[in-house]
Amino acid sequence: MYIKQIIIQGFKSYKDQTVIEPFSPKHNVIVGHNGSGKSNFFAAIRFVLSDAYTQMGKEERQALLHEGTGPAVMSAFVEIIFDNSDERFPTGKPELILRRTIGIKKDEYSLDRKSATKSDVMNLLESAGFSRSNPYYIVPQGRVTALTNMKDTDRLTLLKEVAGTQVYEARRTESLKIMTETDNKRAKIDELLTYINERLAELEEEKEELRDYEEKNKERRCLQYTIDHREQMAISDELDNLEDQHEEGVEEADDSRNKFIKGERQMTGIDREINRLKQEAELLLVDKVQLDSERRDAAKEKARIELDLNTLTDGQAAAQQAKAQYDNNCQNIESSIAEREAKLNQVTPTFLERQKEETSLKGELDSSEASRQRLYAKQGRNSRFRSKRERDEFLRNEIDETYPQLKKIKAVRMQTVEEIGDIEKQIDAQESHVESLREQLDQRQGNDDDLQGQLQAKKAEKDKIMDERQELWREDARLDSTLSNTEKELRQAERDLSHRMDANTSRGLAAVRRIKEQLKLDGVYGTVAELMEVSEKFNTAVETTAGNSLFHYVVDDERTATKVLDVLQKERSGRITFMPLNQLRPRNPKLPKASDAIPMIEKLKFDPHYEKAFQQVFGKTIICPDLTVASQYARSHGVSAITMEGDRSDKKGALSGGYHDKRQSRLEAVKNATKWRQEHEAQKSRSQKVKQAVEVKHQEVTIIMGELRKLEQTRQKQENNYVPLRQQLQSQSSNLLNRKDELEAKKRNLANIDSNVKILTDQQNALETEISTDFKKALTADEERQLEHLSTSIQELRKQLSQASSMRSELEDQKTTIEIELRESLRPRLEQLRSQAYDNRDADSGTRLGETQKDLKRINKVIARVEKRLVELTSSLDEGNSAITEFEQQRATTRQLQEDLAKHIERQQKRAEKNMQKKTLLTKQAAEVNARIRDLGVLPQEAFAKFEKMKSENIVSRLKKVNDALKKYSHVNKKAFQQYEQFTNQREALMKRRQELDSSQSSIEELIEVLDQRKDEAIERTFKQVSREFATVFETLVPAGRGRLIIQKKTDRTQPEEEDSEDERRESVESYTGVGISVSFNSKHDDQQRIQQLSGGQKSLCALTLIFAIQRCDPAPFYLFDEIDANLDAQYRTAVAQMLHSLSHASDSDGQFICTTFRPEMLLVAEKCYGVRYVGKSSTVTAVSRDAAMEFVQGAQHDGGGK
C-alpha cells in the first residue's frame, strides 16, 4: 500500500485544484524554493492523516484556507488516493480515496466519495498500520532539530509514547477516579445508615397505638368490602347475562352476515356465469354465421368443380386414343431411324477405309507419273543442250521457278489447315448446341411436370393459408365480442372502485395510468393496493391500517413523480400522492415476537423492490386476536395494533373500530378492477396479434398469388419458346450437315495440295540431282530401267485406282442414300410428331382432371368439417341456453333468500344496540364499585369469608358503629408500620451496596497493579528494540563508528541496559529518569561521546538515527520527510540517501518515501522527482526530470537558497 496520488484545492498556498502526477511506490523527492509551498504540501498530508489539526477554532480554520487576491476561498479539501492492491485497507477495492474538506463552519471526511466520521477514518488508518502512538512516519520541518536539542527526560517521554504507555496511563487514571468515587459513595452510605438507625428507634414507640387503630380499621374495610363485593357480583351477573346475549347475538349476526355475504358472492358468481354463458353463446352465434357463410361458399365451389369434372371426364377418352396413335407412330419412326443408323454405322467404316485406300493409290500414281515425266523431260533436255553449263543453267532456272509455286502452294495449304481447324471447332460448337437444344426439347416434359408440381404445391399452400386466414377471421370476430364484454366489465369494476374513494383520487389514478402510457414511464409502478396480494381474511385489517395510503402511487424517484405531477397540474386531472422509493426512509420499531402479535407485513406478498413503500405503510402494525391484546402491545412496544375485524389501537392509547361491510372492500374492488384490466389488456393484446396475423396471412396470400402468376407465366413462356426452339434445332442441324460437307471438301482439297507439294518437292530434288551428274546426250541404263519400271507400275496403279474408286463410289452412294433418308425423311417426321405431341399437350386433360378430382375431395372435406362444426355449435348453443335458464332461476331463488336475510340482520342490529346501551350503564357502575374496592387497599384473608353469611342491613349497622369508633384515632401516625418497613429495607440495601463497593475497590486495585506491570514491560521492550535498531542504523550510516542508547536511573545516571529479573525490572523502570545517546564517529572501540559533545551535523545524524530506529520498530506503509538532510554533512547525506534507497527497494519492506530536499545526494537515488512552484500567489506541484531537479538544487546551493 502506498500513496498513489494527491489532489489539493484551496489549502494554504494551493488555491487552484492541484492534481499531482502519481507517485512512485519507492522513493520520491520534491524540490522547490523556500516559500514555494513544500511545507504546505506536507501539511496537507498531515491535515488528512494525523491528529495535528483537531479541535480548531474559527481563526485556525481560516488560517488553513488560501488567502490572496480574487474571490475568497470558502472551503478547501485535500484528497489522498492510496494504492490498495495489497488490501491493507479492508475495503475489497484496489484503491482507497480519502478526502478531508474544511471550511469556516465545517470539517468533513469522506471514504471512496462517501461521507465518513473521523473515528471511522482513524480506525481504518490504524488497521492499515498508521500508529497514533508513533507519529514519526511524518517528519515535518524542524522535528529533526527538536530531537537534536531534546533533553534526556524528554527523550524518555518520547520512548514511552512510542511504547504506547498513554493507553495504560489513561486506563490507570480512569481506575483511580473510580476509586475516589467509590470512597465518596461509601461515606454517604455510612451517613445514611446512621440516620436510618435513629429513625427506626423513633418508629418503635408509635407502633403500639397504631396496632389498636389497625384492628378497628381492618374491621371497617372488611365490612365495606362485603357490601361492595355483593353489589359487584350483582352487576357482574347482569353483565355476564348481557355478554351471553351479546355473544349469541354476535354469533347469530355473524352467521347471518356470512350467509348474506356468501349469498352475495353466490349471486356474483351466478351473474358472472350467466355473462360468461351469454358471451360464449354470442361467440357461438358469430361462429355459426361464419360457418353458414363458409358452407354456402363451399357448396357453390363444389357445384363449379363438379361441372368442370364432368367436362374433363368426357374429353379424356378422345385424348387417350390420340395419345396411343402418337406413341405407335413415334415407335415405328424411331425403329426405322435405329435401323438406318445401324446400317450407316456399318457402311461408314468400310467407306472410309476404301476412301483412304483410293487416296493412297492416287498419291502413288501421281508420284510415279511425276517421276516418269521428269525422266522424259531429262531425256528431251539432253538433246537440246550442247554443254553441261547450258543444261545446268536451264535446270537452275527451272528450280528457281518452282520455289514461288511451292511457296504459294504451301501458303494455300496453311490457310486450308486453318480453315479445317476453324470448321472443326464450329462443328464441335454446333454439335454441342444441337445436343443442348435436343436436351432442352427432351427435358421439356420434365420441366412441364416440375412446373405443374410447383403449381400444385403453391395452390395447396394457398388453400392452407386461406383456411388459416379464415380461422383467424373467426377468432378475430370472437375476440371482438370478448373484448367488448371485458370492456364493459372493466368499466363496471372501475365505477365500483371509484365509489370507494374520493372523486379527485379516482380521476388522478385514471390520469396517471394514461400519462404512464403516453410518456412511456417505466418508473411508475402502481398503487400500493395493486402491488400486493393479501389473503381475503386479512382484507379488513389491511384496509383499516392503510386507509387512503392504499391508493398512493409508488414510483422510482422524485423526478418521475414530478413529471407526472406537472401533467396532472396542467390537465387538472385530480390529485395523487406519490411514494418515490429513493426518498422513503421507513423507521420501524422493533415488533414483538409472539404468537398473538403477527407483523402485518409478513401477511403481504409483494415484490422486494417495493419493500420500502410497504414498510412505510404497514411496517409499524401488528395483527392481534382481540382489542385487549392489541392495546397491551400498542402501549408496551409503541406500535399500531389491529384485530382481524379492523378494531385498532395505537401507541397513544386511542382505540377505533366498528362494523366493516366486507361487501364494500376496497381491496376486493382493486383486485376486481385489476383482474378485468389485465383481462382486457390480454384480450386487446391477443386481438392485436390476431389482426396482425390476419394481415400477415393477407400478405402471404398476395405473395403466393404472385408466385402462382409467375409460374403460369413461366409455363406459358416455355410453351411459346418451343416453336422457335424447334426451328432453331432444325436450322442448326442443317447448318451442321453443311459444315460437315464443307469439312470433307476441305480435307480432299488438302490431300490434293499435299500431293502437289510432294510433286514439286520431288521435281526440285530431281533437278538438283541432275545438276550434280555429268552431261550426257542419252539416259543412263539405270534411268532407262527406272523408266520402264515406272511405265509398268503406272498401268498397274491405274487399274487398282479404278477398282478402288468404283468400290468407294458404290459405298458412298449407299452412305449418301441412308444419310439423305435420315436427314430428309425420318428425323424430320419424328421431330414433327414430337412437335405435334408438345403442341397437343394442352389438349391432354389428364393433369387437369386429377387436379379437379383433388379439388373435389378437398371441398367435400371442407363441407363435411363445416357441417360437423355447425352441428357441434347448435348443440353447444342449446346446452348454453339451458344452463342460462337454470342459472337465472337459481339467481331469483338466491335473491329472495338475500332479502329475507337482510331483514333478519336489521332486527338483530336493533337488539344489539339496546343491549350495548344497557351494558354501558352497568359497566360504569361496575367501574365505580371496583374503584371503591381498590381504595380499600390490601385486605386481610378473613375479609372474604367473615361476614359472608351476615345480612346486608346488619352489615350496614355495624359499619356505622365502627366508623364512629375510628374517629378517636385521628392523631395516630398511619404510616408508622410502612415507614418502619421502608427504612428497614433501605438499611439492608445500603449494607449490600457497601459490600459491593468494597469488592469493587479490591478489583480496581488489582487492575492498577496489572496496568503498571504491563506499562513497565512495554517501556522495557520498546527501549530494547529502539536501542538495538539505533545501533544497527548508526552503524549503517557511520560504518566506522558505533552508537547506542543509554537508560538513566535515579541511582545511576549512566546505567546501561542489562538483563534483569521481573521485580528488578519493574523497580528499575520506575527509577528511569531519561534516555541518553552515546556515539563514536571514528572507532568502534574508542570512548564514546554524549550527544551534547557533538557538532550540529553529528547531532542531526543522531536524531535521524533515532527516528529511523523508531520507524523500524513500528514500520509504517510510507514515510514523509521534510528537509531531514538540511543540517547533515555531505558524507552523511549520502549515507542517509543510500539508506532510504535500500529501504524503499528492500524485498521485505514495502515502504514508500516522499522527501523534500535542497541537496543533490537524495535526488541521485530517487525514483521520481517533483517541483513546487509559487506563481500568481498559488502553489503548484509538477513532475520533473532528475536533471531538472539537479539543476534547481545546484542553483539553489549557488544562490544560498538551501540555507
Side-chain angles (χ1 to χ4, degrees):
M1 186 267 289
Y2 62 91
I3 294 179
K4 187 175 182 180
Q5 196 171 24
I6 297 177
I7 302 173
I8 308 173
Q9 179 175 321
F11 185 83
K12 290 194 173 183
S13 60
Y14 293 86
K15 178 181 180 181
D16 300 325
Q17 187 175 23
T18 301
V19 181
I20 302 172
E21 184 175 320
F23 289 99
S24 167
K26 302 298 182 183
H27 190 192
N28 305 269
V29 175
I30 301 174
V31 297
H33 292 288
N34 283 333
S36 61
K38 300 192 304 300
S39 297
N40 290 340
F41 169 74
F42 277 89
I45 300 177
R46 295 176 65 203
F47 170 70
V48 179
L49 300 181
S50 72
D51 293 333
Y53 297 91
T54 56
Q55 297 179 353
M56 295 180 290
K58 181 177 180 181
E59 292 76 10
E60 293 172 315
R61 294 172 183 268
Q62 183 65 49
L64 296 179
L65 302 179
H66 177 81
E67 293 182 358
T69 59
V73 176
M74 303 305 296
S75 66
F77 74 84
V78 179
E79 180 175 287
I80 301 177
I81 302 174
F82 294 95
D83 183 282
N84 192 33
S85 56
D86 58 355
E87 297 186 354
R88 289 188 67 166
F89 288 115
T91 61
K93 297 180 181 179
E95 284 187 353
L96 176 74
I97 302 174
L98 175 58
R99 174 186 284 201
R100 184 178 180 185
T101 305
I102 193 168
I104 301 298
K105 296 183 179 180
K106 70 175 180 178
D107 187 0
E108 300 172 345
Y109 286 88
S110 69
L111 288 171
D112 289 334
R113 313 297 184 193
K114 295 180 181 178
S115 180
T117 63
K118 181 180 179 181
S119 61
D120 293 339
V121 173
M122 293 305 165
N123 291 335
L124 184 65
L125 294 175
E126 286 276 357
S127 67
F130 296 90
S131 176
R132 292 188 185 182
S133 62
N134 179 15
Y136 283 91
Y137 63 91
I138 299 178
V139 181
Q141 191 172 5
R143 178 165 290 183
V144 176
T145 303
L147 286 173
T148 301
N149 301 323
M150 184 177 286
K151 297 179 181 180
D152 293 345
T153 55
D154 295 335
R155 205 172 290 116
L156 176 61
T157 303
L158 170 63
L159 189 66
K160 290 181 178 180
E161 290 178 358
V162 174
T165 58
Q166 291 179 349
V167 177
Y168 299 113
E169 290 292 344
R171 294 186 64 185
R172 191 177 190 279
T173 302
E174 183 181 354
S175 299
L176 291 173
K177 182 179 178 182
I178 294 174
M179 285 183 63
T180 303
E181 293 175 353
T182 302
D183 292 338
N184 295 332
K185 289 179 181 178
R186 284 193 299 181
K188 290 181 179 180
I189 289 173
D190 292 339
E191 183 179 350
L192 286 172
L193 285 173
T194 302
Y195 169 76
I196 289 173
N197 289 328
E198 294 174 354
R199 184 64 181 139
L200 285 173
E202 295 174 359
L203 290 173
E204 282 289 345
E205 299 175 359
E206 300 176 0
K207 284 168 58 180
E208 292 300 328
E209 190 176 16
L210 183 60
R211 284 192 183 95
D212 296 336
Y213 170 78
E214 287 292 339
E215 289 296 329
K216 295 293 183 182
N217 188 52
K218 181 171 67 172
E219 184 179 2
R220 181 192 66 80
R221 291 163 59 210
C222 291
L223 292 169
Q224 185 65 49
Y225 170 75
T226 303
I227 295 171
D228 292 339
H229 179 65
R230 289 180 179 180
E231 185 179 356
Q232 184 185 41
M233 294 304 297
I235 294 173
S236 179
D237 292 340
E238 187 66 23
L239 285 173
D240 290 341
N241 186 26
L242 289 175
E243 186 65 26
D244 293 339
Q245 294 179 9
H246 174 70
E247 288 179 358
E248 292 175 0
V250 168
E251 291 177 359
E252 186 178 357
D254 288 342
D255 292 339
S256 300
R257 194 174 293 109
N258 291 333
K259 289 180 182 179
F260 186 81
I261 293 173
K262 184 177 180 181
E264 288 293 317
R265 291 176 180 172
Q266 187 177 359
M267 288 279 292
T268 303
I270 292 172
D271 291 339
R272 188 180 296 112
E273 194 65 24
I274 291 174
N275 291 334
R276 183 184 64 80
L277 291 172
K278 288 182 178 179
Q279 182 178 351
E280 290 179 356
E282 291 176 0
L283 295 176
L284 291 174
L285 286 174
V286 171
D287 288 347
K288 185 177 180 182
V289 171
Q290 291 181 347
L291 288 172
D292 285 335
S293 176
E294 289 183 22
R295 183 174 62 179
R296 288 193 298 272
D297 294 341
K300 293 178 182 178
E301 181 70 12
K302 180 180 179 181
R304 183 188 63 77
I305 291 173
E306 287 177 345
L307 182 61
D308 292 342
L309 183 63
N310 292 333
T311 302
L312 291 172
T313 303
D314 294 339
Q316 187 178 15
Q320 290 178 350
Q321 183 178 1
K323 187 174 184 303
Q325 184 177 359
Y326 160 76
D327 292 340
N328 187 29
N329 292 336
C330 284
Q331 185 176 3
N332 292 335
I333 294 176
E334 287 174 352
S335 177
S336 298
I337 290 174
E339 182 181 351
R340 300 299 188 277
E341 287 179 346
K343 188 173 182 180
L344 180 63
N345 293 335
Q346 183 180 2
V347 170
T348 300
T350 306
F351 166 73
L352 294 176
E353 184 179 350
R354 294 292 177 266
Q355 188 180 38
K356 182 176 180 182
E357 182 182 357
E358 181 184 8
T359 302
S360 176
L361 289 173
K362 188 172 183 304
E364 292 179 4
L365 178 60
D366 292 340
S367 178
S368 298
E369 287 181 345
S371 299
R372 187 177 67 174
Q373 188 64 32
R374 287 195 296 275
L375 290 173
Y376 283 148
K378 180 178 180 182
Q379 186 178 9
R381 285 195 298 274
N382 290 338
S383 60
R384 286 171 54 192
F385 303 111
R386 291 189 298 273
S387 63
K388 184 177 183 301
R389 184 177 60 78
E390 290 180 359
R391 184 199 68 182
D392 292 343
E393 184 177 355
F394 173 77
L395 290 176
R396 288 189 179 91
N397 291 333
E398 288 292 325
I399 290 171
D400 293 339
E401 289 178 358
T402 58
Y403 277 119
Q405 295 179 7
L406 185 60
K407 184 176 180 181
K408 183 177 180 181
I409 292 173
K410 287 182 177 180
V412 172
R413 184 183 183 281
M414 290 179 62
Q415 182 178 0
T416 303
V417 170
E418 291 177 358
E419 290 176 354
I420 289 173
D422 293 339
I423 293 172
E424 287 177 345
K425 291 179 181 179
Q426 292 175 4
I427 289 173
D428 291 339
Q430 288 182 344
E431 284 179 345
S432 299
H433 191 200
V434 168
E435 185 64 25
S436 175
L437 292 174
R438 290 186 184 279
E439 289 178 356
Q440 292 181 27
L441 287 174
D442 293 339
Q443 292 175 356
R444 183 169 180 251
Q445 179 66 39
N447 293 338
D448 286 347
D449 294 339
D450 290 343
L451 280 174
Q452 193 63 33
Q454 293 179 23
L455 284 168
Q456 290 298 323
K458 287 297 178 184
K459 288 180 179 179
E461 185 177 358
K462 182 197 71 173
D463 293 339
K464 179 182 176 182
I465 292 175
M466 293 183 73
D467 291 341
E468 292 174 353
R469 183 177 64 177
Q470 190 71 25
E471 188 65 30
L472 287 172
W473 276 339
R474 285 196 293 270
E475 185 175 358
D476 188 29
R478 289 196 298 270
L479 285 173
D480 287 341
S481 177
T482 304
L483 195 61
S484 176
N485 291 329
T486 56
E487 189 173 359
K488 293 178 183 177
E489 293 289 346
L490 176 60
R491 284 198 296 268
Q492 181 61 41
E494 288 180 342
R495 280 196 299 270
D496 293 342
L497 179 59
S498 65
H499 292 159
R500 290 164 174 76
M501 68 181 79
D502 60 275
N504 280 334
T505 303
S506 176
R507 289 189 296 110
L509 289 176
V512 170
R513 283 193 289 269
R514 174 174 49 79
I515 293 167
K516 176 184 177 181
E517 294 179 359
Q518 289 177 352
L519 302 182
K520 307 294 184 184
L521 297 176
D522 296 331
V524 179
Y525 302 126
T527 63
V528 172
E530 293 171 348
L531 297 177
M532 71 176 177
E533 294 181 9
V534 61
S535 176
E536 185 178 346
K537 63 182 180 180
F538 296 108
N539 277 356
T540 302
V542 171
E543 288 181 25
T544 304
T545 299
N548 290 331
S549 297
L550 280 175
F551 304 111
H552 289 182
Y553 230 100
V554 180
V555 296
D556 54 357
D557 52 38
E558 70 279 2
R559 292 177 295 179
T560 302
T562 303
K563 290 181 183 178
V564 180
L565 284 172
D566 290 342
V567 179
L568 287 175
Q569 183 69 23
K570 188 183 298 182
E571 297 179 354
R572 298 183 178 179
S573 302
R575 296 181 62 82
I576 287 293
T577 300
F578 289 95
M579 301 180 70
L581 292 176
N582 68 326
Q583 295 294 322
L584 295 180
R585 301 290 186 273
R587 297 180 179 177
N588 299 323
K590 187 176 181 181
L591 301 179
K593 295 181 179 179
S595 59
D596 56 355
I598 305 172
M600 179 172 286
I601 200 165
E602 293 181 1
K603 298 302 179 181
L604 307 179
K605 294 181 181 179
F606 52 86
D607 192 317
H609 181 63
Y610 314 127
E611 184 172 0
K612 286 185 178 180
F614 286 94
Q615 286 286 356
Q616 184 78 18
V617 178
F618 303 104
K620 301 178 182 178
T621 304
I622 59 173
I623 301 175
C624 299
D626 54 53
L627 193 56
T628 303
V629 176
S631 300
Q632 294 174 356
Y633 280 119
R635 289 193 300 271
S636 62
H637 289 78
V639 297
S640 178
I642 194 167
T643 65
M644 298 282 286
E645 293 75 21
D647 299 331
R648 183 175 184 179
S649 175
D650 61 21
K651 60 184 179 180
K652 296 181 180 179
L655 301 177
S656 61
Y659 172 69
H660 293 271
D661 190 354
K662 295 183 179 181
R663 294 174 299 173
Q664 300 298 321
S665 172
R666 291 184 289 178
L667 281 176
E668 288 298 324
V670 170
K671 188 184 299 183
N672 190 40
T674 303
K675 183 191 76 171
W676 285 112
R677 188 177 297 111
Q678 292 174 351
E679 180 71 18
H680 180 70
E681 292 297 330
Q683 295 292 344
K684 187 177 180 181
S685 175
R686 176 60 183 161
S687 177
Q688 292 175 352
K689 290 180 180 178
V690 169
K691 291 183 185 300
Q692 292 174 358
V694 170
E695 186 62 29
V696 170
K697 293 302 177 184
H698 279 316
Q699 296 175 359
E700 290 179 359
V701 169
T702 303
I703 293 172
I704 289 179
M705 293 301 294
E707 293 176 352
L708 282 172
R709 286 193 294 272
K710 288 181 181 179
L711 288 173
E712 290 289 349
Q713 292 172 358
T714 302
R715 186 172 68 174
Q716 188 63 37
K717 183 178 180 181
Q718 186 171 314
E719 294 292 338
N720 295 334
N721 289 341
Y722 168 67
V723 175
L725 187 65
R726 186 179 60 195
Q727 293 175 353
Q728 186 178 3
L729 177 61
Q730 292 175 354
S731 174
Q732 290 294 331
S733 299
S734 177
N735 291 337
L736 181 60
L737 294 174
N738 293 334
R739 282 293 182 183
K740 288 183 178 179
D741 293 341
E742 184 179 356
L743 178 63
E744 291 294 329
K746 289 291 184 181
K747 287 183 177 180
R748 288 195 295 272
N749 190 19
L750 180 62
N752 293 331
I753 292 173
D754 290 339
S755 178
N756 292 333
V757 168
K758 187 174 184 305
I759 293 171
L760 286 174
T761 303
D762 292 341
Q763 183 178 352
Q764 284 182 343
N765 293 334
L767 293 175
E768 292 288 345
T769 303
E770 187 177 352
I771 291 174
S772 62
T773 59
D774 297 333
F775 178 73
K776 295 180 181 181
K777 291 293 187 178
L779 298 173
T780 63
D782 291 338
E783 290 175 343
E784 287 292 342
R785 285 195 296 275
Q786 183 181 6
L787 182 61
E788 183 179 355
H789 175 69
L790 286 172
S791 298
T792 304
S793 176
I794 287 170
Q795 290 179 0
E796 184 63 26
L797 287 171
R798 284 177 177 171
K799 182 177 179 182
Q800 292 177 2
L801 178 61
S802 176
Q803 292 177 355
S805 297
S806 176
M807 293 178 66
R808 190 268 306 161
S809 178
E810 182 178 353
L811 290 172
E812 186 176 9
D813 290 341
Q814 293 179 10
K815 176 175 173 292
T816 303
T817 301
I818 294 171
E819 288 177 346
I820 290 173
E821 187 175 3
L822 287 171
R823 189 193 318 173
E824 302 294 337
S825 177
L826 294 176
R827 284 177 178 160
R829 286 176 60 194
L830 180 61
E831 291 294 334
Q832 184 177 6
L833 284 174
R834 288 179 177 175
S835 175
Q836 291 175 356
Y838 291 138
D839 293 339
N840 293 332
R841 284 186 75 242
D842 289 339
D844 186 5
S845 61
T847 302
R848 291 181 59 195
L849 179 63
E851 294 177 4
T852 306
Q853 290 174 344
K854 291 180 181 179
D855 291 340
L856 183 60
K857 289 180 180 179
R858 178 184 60 80
I859 201 67
N860 285 332
K861 289 181 180 180
V862 171
I863 292 173
R865 176 175 56 81
V866 171
E867 288 179 348
K868 181 181 178 181
R869 180 61 180 156
L870 281 171
V871 172
E872 293 174 353
L873 287 177
T874 303
S875 176
S876 298
L877 279 172
D878 294 339
E879 293 175 359
N881 290 330
S882 299
I884 289 172
T885 302
E886 292 177 2
F887 277 116
E888 287 178 345
Q889 293 174 355
Q890 187 177 353
R891 181 174 61 181
T893 303
T894 305
R895 182 179 289 110
Q896 183 62 42
L897 291 175
Q898 289 296 99
E899 292 176 356
D900 295 341
L901 274 174
K903 294 178 181 178
H904 182 64
I905 290 171
E906 185 177 358
R907 290 194 296 270
Q908 287 176 336
Q909 287 178 347
K910 290 180 179 179
R911 286 198 303 270
E913 289 174 359
K914 291 180 180 179
N915 288 336
M916 286 301 295
Q917 292 174 358
K918 189 175 181 180
K919 181 179 179 181
T920 302
L921 181 60
L922 289 172
T923 302
K924 184 177 179 181
Q925 293 176 0
E928 294 174 354
V929 173
N930 290 333
R932 291 200 300 270
I933 293 175
R934 283 195 303 270
D935 292 340
L936 294 175
V938 179
L939 297 171
Q941 187 64 32
E942 61 184 14
F944 302 106
K946 185 175 181 180
F947 303 106
E948 184 177 357
K949 297 180 180 180
M950 186 179 289
K951 294 182 179 180
S952 298
E953 56 270 17
N954 295 334
I955 293 174
V956 173
S957 176
R958 188 167 180 174
L959 177 62
K960 184 176 182 301
K961 294 178 181 180
V962 172
N963 286 331
D964 292 340
L966 283 172
K967 292 179 181 179
K968 66 179 182 179
Y969 294 102
S970 59
H971 65 282
V972 176
N973 182 7
K974 306 298 191 301
K975 297 183 179 179
F977 286 112
Q978 183 180 358
Q979 290 174 355
Y980 186 85
E981 184 179 0
Q982 288 177 353
F983 281 119
T984 303
N985 293 335
Q986 287 180 9
R987 182 174 61 181
E988 292 176 356
L990 289 172
M991 294 295 291
K992 184 178 179 181
R993 178 59 179 158
R994 196 179 192 288
Q995 292 175 358
E996 291 176 354
L997 290 174
D998 293 340
S999 176
S1000 175
Q1001 184 174 10
S1002 299
S1003 300
I1004 293 172
E1005 289 174 352
E1006 292 176 0
L1007 175 62
I1008 291 174
E1009 185 178 356
V1010 172
L1011 290 175
D1012 291 339
Q1013 179 182 349
R1014 291 182 180 176
K1015 180 184 72 173
D1016 296 343
E1017 291 174 354
I1019 294 173
E1020 185 73 21
R1021 182 174 59 253
T1022 303
F1023 173 76
K1024 288 182 178 181
Q1025 291 178 351
V1026 174
S1027 179
R1028 182 174 59 253
E1029 296 297 337
F1030 181 87
T1032 302
V1033 173
F1034 190 84
E1035 186 176 354
T1036 302
L1037 296 176
V1038 187
R1042 185 167 70 97
R1044 61 175 180 158
L1045 297 179
I1046 300 174
I1047 197 71
Q1048 295 177 349
K1049 300 181 180 179
K1050 295 178 182 178
T1051 57
D1052 184 6
R1053 303 287 294 180
T1054 59
Q1055 181 66 31
E1057 61 169 328
E1058 294 178 356
E1059 294 293 332
D1060 299 330
S1061 65
E1062 184 73 21
D1063 295 336
E1064 291 175 350
R1065 182 166 59 249
R1066 290 182 59 190
E1067 293 176 359
S1068 62
V1069 168
E1070 292 176 358
S1071 64
Y1072 288 171
T1073 60
V1075 175
I1077 298 176
S1078 177
V1079 297
S1080 173
F1081 281 84
N1082 300 320
S1083 173
K1084 297 184 182 291
H1085 307 288
D1086 292 345
D1087 292 337
Q1088 296 181 345
Q1089 295 175 309
R1090 291 299 185 95
I1091 191 170
Q1092 292 83 0
Q1093 301 170 336
L1094 302 177
S1095 65
Q1098 291 174 336
K1099 289 181 179 179
S1100 297
L1101 182 64
C1102 290
L1104 278 177
T1105 304
L1106 181 58
I1107 290 174
F1108 286 137
I1110 292 172
Q1111 290 176 348
R1112 293 180 69 168
C1113 291
D1114 188 7
F1118 64 87
Y1119 304 96
L1120 306 178
F1121 294 155
D1122 189 2
E1123 297 185 19
I1124 61 172
D1125 57 352
N1127 298 324
L1128 296 178
D1129 297 332
Q1131 59 177 340
Y1132 300 137
R1133 291 199 299 269
T1134 302
V1136 170
Q1138 290 299 328
M1139 172 169 278
L1140 293 180
H1141 180 71
S1142 62
L1143 289 175
S1144 63
H1145 289 78
S1147 60
D1148 59 345
S1149 174
D1150 58 352
Q1152 178 192 36
F1153 291 88
I1154 301 176
C1155 311
T1156 63
T1157 186
F1158 278 106
R1159 306 300 183 183
E1161 288 80 7
M1162 201 172 289
L1163 289 172
L1164 295 175
V1165 296
E1167 289 281 335
K1168 295 189 71 173
C1169 299
Y1170 299 83
V1172 182
R1173 295 187 303 165
Y1174 187 72
V1175 180
K1177 295 187 177 182
S1178 178
S1179 298
T1180 58
V1181 182
T1182 57
V1184 298
S1185 64
R1186 181 181 285 110
D1187 295 338
M1190 290 293 291
E1191 290 179 3
F1192 168 79
V1193 169
Q1194 292 171 0
Q1197 288 181 342
H1198 181 268
D1199 297 337
K1203 296 293 183 182

